[in-house]
Amino acid sequence: MNTILCDELLQEIFRRLPPPSSAAVSLVCKRWLYLLRSSTTSLSLSFIEPPFIPLFTSFLRFYPYLSTVSVTITTTLDSSDHLLFSISSSCPNLKYLKFLSGPLSHFSLVSLSASCPNLVSLTVTLFRPLNFMWLASFNKSLKELSVYSAGDSRELDFVDFSGSCDSELNLESLLLTGIKARDKGVSFLWRNCKKVRNLKLKSCESVGDQSSFLAFLEYLEGLETVELRTCRAIVDGVLLKLAENCGMLNSLLIYDGGSKEGLLHFLSQSICCTNLQKLDLRLPLDLDNSHLIAAAENLRSLRCLRLQSCCLVTGEGLKILGNAMANGLEELALINCDVVERESGLLATLGQDLKKLRKLDLSFNDMLIDKELISMVVSCNNLNELKLRGCNKLTNLAMVSLAKCCRKLESVDVMYCCGIEVQAVELFVLNSPKLRRLQVEENKVSDVARTWASNKFIEIVY
């Protein structure tokens, strides 16, 4: 068989093998080892201590066609320039690079742009003072940039960014983490990123240069996705500008730090909400019924609503929203929301209204009982994805009912559901015609269930 199969066919087979089998391929013979390395395009490496550079370079050269590389080093390095140079010189076909290590110099990043001209996505850690002028050396291929800032910002007092030259960038996706008030170097991004479609800010106390940032948002009429995670200090300003300028926005995520007034103002502006299709909120003390009512009145295009740990929301607000979204909502998540357990009959009402629901996530509602879940899913005949992770009160009855009522289910997550036992999992696998993925503890999967899953091409994830 080894002599009959040509190199190209073997490589195609290797690409289709799942991870455990692909690891064993390298042990068959030297030819297979060589072909496996030659067919490998993606590599993810994690180190506790930095690797020895010559050995690391030799290792990378065994994989001549790498296009995706991820390197993470737990220990903070004084300098990571040599390691980055090793990657860039060994992987000329690189398109996606995630390099989370120590500080990188301006020179090493410029060198990366010369060695990897086809780079599309770059993720790096930068130490202060933040300076983004090196981006001007990248050609138009770079579309995605993710920056994690670290280090002491005291040096910013001695750095002048006012005279920085400008160079229009082709970035479409931008993620910034940990921006502080004195990070004036970020203004280079605000002035030169005119094509951004996806903006993500995480743990940001500021946006650096306020005037440049506001001008940046005013220009971005085509902004489609905004994510704000733990950014309480800047949420109001961002939402205000989004409401004024971003009529093409279709996805908004706000986690852990919002503003009742700012969010209500945004949801009440019909202009900015015309195309909004996904709303994802984790605001324990900043979301109440007034926001849900505003959403019901203005978010006519909403297809996905995700709420996590929203303590102030009541059943009344959810019912109003469910009734308004009856003909459009396809995905609903109520994760760790005590209203699910607090108000009996709420889920039944939502199930009767949301006939087009395809994805439902009720994870970590640890007091959710069988009766409440079943009363909802009997009306949701189009469900193809269901997540019940961490719902400890559910029992075998819930699984039996799912097998009977939800014949279109393709993906189910019942991890950490203590009341669901081996027999119920086995019955569910045997009686779910469309099932393709099941997440459950390994000790709940019997030999019979495992055999049937294999025969029906069902992936069981532990």
Side-chain angles (χ1 to χ4, degrees):
M1 182 63 69
N2 190 35
T3 56
I4 293 174
L5 296 176
C6 63
D7 289 354
E8 291 77 8
L9 187 54
L10 271 175
Q11 288 178 318
E12 186 61 30
I13 293 172
F14 294 163
R15 290 190 188 98
R16 296 171 183 266
L17 289 175
S21 300
S22 62
V25 162
S26 62
L27 304 176
V28 175
C29 62
K30 289 184 177 180
R31 180 194 175 207
W32 282 33
L33 174 60
Y34 170 78
L35 292 176
L36 176 65
R37 289 170 170 173
S38 298
S39 62
T40 300
T41 59
S42 179
L43 204 58
S44 182
L45 304 169
S46 181
F47 301 99
I48 298 176
E49 298 290 339
F52 183 54
I53 299 298
L55 288 177
F56 182 66
T57 303
S58 299
F59 169 77
L60 287 177
R61 286 175 179 167
F62 284 127
Y63 300 88
Y65 298 106
L66 287 175
S67 61
T68 303
V69 173
S70 174
V71 175
T72 303
I73 301 177
T74 305
T75 305
T76 302
L77 305 179
D78 293 332
S79 176
S80 299
D81 290 346
H82 294 300
L83 193 57
L84 181 63
F85 178 76
S86 176
I87 296 172
S88 61
S89 61
S90 305
C91 308
N93 300 311
L94 207 57
K95 291 185 177 181
Y96 306 91
L97 174 61
K98 182 178 181 180
F99 187 80
L100 297 180
S101 180
L104 295 168
S105 69
H106 183 105
F107 175 79
S108 67
L109 290 165
V110 172
S111 178
L112 174 66
S113 69
S115 302
C116 302
N118 299 316
L119 201 64
V120 173
S121 176
L122 177 62
T123 300
V124 292
T125 298
L126 298 182
F127 277 44
R128 292 184 170 89
L130 295 180
N131 182 352
F132 293 93
M133 293 177 61
W134 50 270
L135 281 167
S137 62
F138 281 84
N139 61 23
K140 300 299 182 180
S141 65
L142 191 64
K143 304 289 186 182
E144 302 173 3
L145 176 66
S146 299
V147 174
Y148 294 83
S149 56
D152 192 353
S153 62
R154 287 177 296 178
E155 295 180 42
L156 284 172
D157 294 333
F158 307 101
V159 180
D160 180 17
F161 293 103
S162 59
S164 300
C165 61
D166 287 346
S167 176
E168 186 173 342
L169 306 175
N170 222 30
L171 294 175
E172 296 178 0
S173 179
L174 182 60
L175 164 63
L176 299 177
T177 299
I179 303 301
K180 297 182 181 296
R182 292 187 291 173
D183 290 332
K184 302 302 181 183
V186 185
S187 62
F188 178 83
L189 288 176
W190 304 144
R191 293 196 306 270
N192 295 286
C193 294
K194 307 300 185 182
K195 300 179 181 179
V196 172
R197 296 291 177 266
N198 305 305
L199 176 64
K200 302 176 183 180
L201 302 176
K202 183 177 180 181
S203 302
C204 292
E205 300 175 3
S206 174
V207 290
D209 181 9
Q210 184 77 12
S211 60
S212 296
F213 179 70
L214 295 180
F216 162 76
L217 285 180
E218 288 178 1
Y219 191 88
L220 292 181
E221 295 180 357
L223 192 64
E224 298 174 358
T225 301
V226 172
E227 295 186 7
L228 303 170
R229 300 174 187 264
T230 322
C231 295
R232 181 177 292 275
I234 65 172
V235 164
D236 264 357
V238 174
L239 289 177
L240 179 62
K241 282 299 175 182
L242 290 178
E244 293 176 355
N245 301 289
C246 300
M248 298 301 293
L249 193 70
N250 61 40
S251 178
L252 175 65
L253 179 150
I254 305 176
Y255 279 6
D256 304 327
S259 163
K260 287 185 179 181
E261 295 75 17
L263 182 59
L264 185 59
H265 173 76
F266 174 83
L267 293 174
S268 302
Q269 300 301 306
S270 57
I271 295 178
C272 64
C273 298
T274 302
N275 295 297
L276 197 67
Q277 297 184 16
K278 181 176 181 180
L279 185 62
D280 191 341
L281 305 173
R282 187 170 70 197
L283 301 170
L285 301 176
D286 297 300
L287 187 78
D288 56 31
N289 284 350
S290 63
H291 300 99
L292 298 186
I293 294 171
E297 294 174 351
N298 294 293
L299 304 188
R300 297 302 181 182
S301 299
L302 200 67
R303 295 293 177 267
C304 171
L305 175 66
R306 297 182 60 84
L307 303 180
Q308 299 185 45
S309 306
C310 296
C311 305
L312 302 181
V313 169
T314 71
E316 179 185 0
L318 285 172
K319 288 175 183 177
I320 292 173
L321 184 63
N323 183 262
M325 302 296 169
N327 296 320
L329 205 66
E330 298 176 357
E331 180 176 351
L332 175 66
L334 299 173
I335 302 170
N336 189 31
C337 291
D338 58 359
V339 65
V340 172
E341 307 149 8
R342 190 173 64 235
E343 301 196 23
S344 178
L346 170 62
L347 293 184
T349 302
L350 292 177
Q352 292 167 7
D353 285 336
L354 304 174
K355 300 292 186 181
K356 294 187 177 181
L357 207 62
R358 294 188 301 106
K359 298 181 180 181
L360 176 63
D361 190 346
L362 298 173
S363 298
F364 301 108
N365 290 297
D366 55 6
M367 299 302 290
L368 176 63
I369 59 176
D370 296 335
K371 177 184 175 181
E372 295 295 326
L373 174 65
I374 295 169
S375 69
M376 181 178 191
V377 297
V378 292
S379 303
C380 300
N381 299 320
N382 294 311
L383 273 187
N384 57 34
E385 182 178 311
L386 178 62
K387 296 182 179 180
L388 301 169
R389 176 173 294 224
C391 295
N392 294 321
K393 291 291 184 179
L394 296 181
T395 69
N396 294 342
L397 179 60
M399 296 299 283
V400 173
S401 300
L402 289 177
K404 290 181 179 179
C405 302
C406 304
R407 308 293 288 174
K408 296 182 180 180
L409 277 176
E410 298 176 9
S411 177
V412 175
D413 183 351
V414 287
M415 290 285 286
Y416 315 126
C417 296
C418 302
I420 295 175
E421 300 172 328
V422 176
Q423 300 89 336
V425 173
E426 182 178 300
L427 183 146
F428 184 72
V429 170
L430 295 179
N431 293 280
S432 299
K434 300 277 188 174
L435 191 64
R436 290 294 173 265
R437 179 182 172 89
L438 176 64
Q439 291 181 262
V440 66
E441 293 92 329
E442 186 174 6
N443 61 2
K444 293 183 181 180
V445 183
S446 66
D447 291 339
V448 173
R450 191 174 286 106
T451 300
W452 269 88
S454 177
N455 293 337
K456 296 171 69 174
F457 302 103
I458 299 172
E459 179 188 12
I460 299 183
V461 181
Y462 305 122

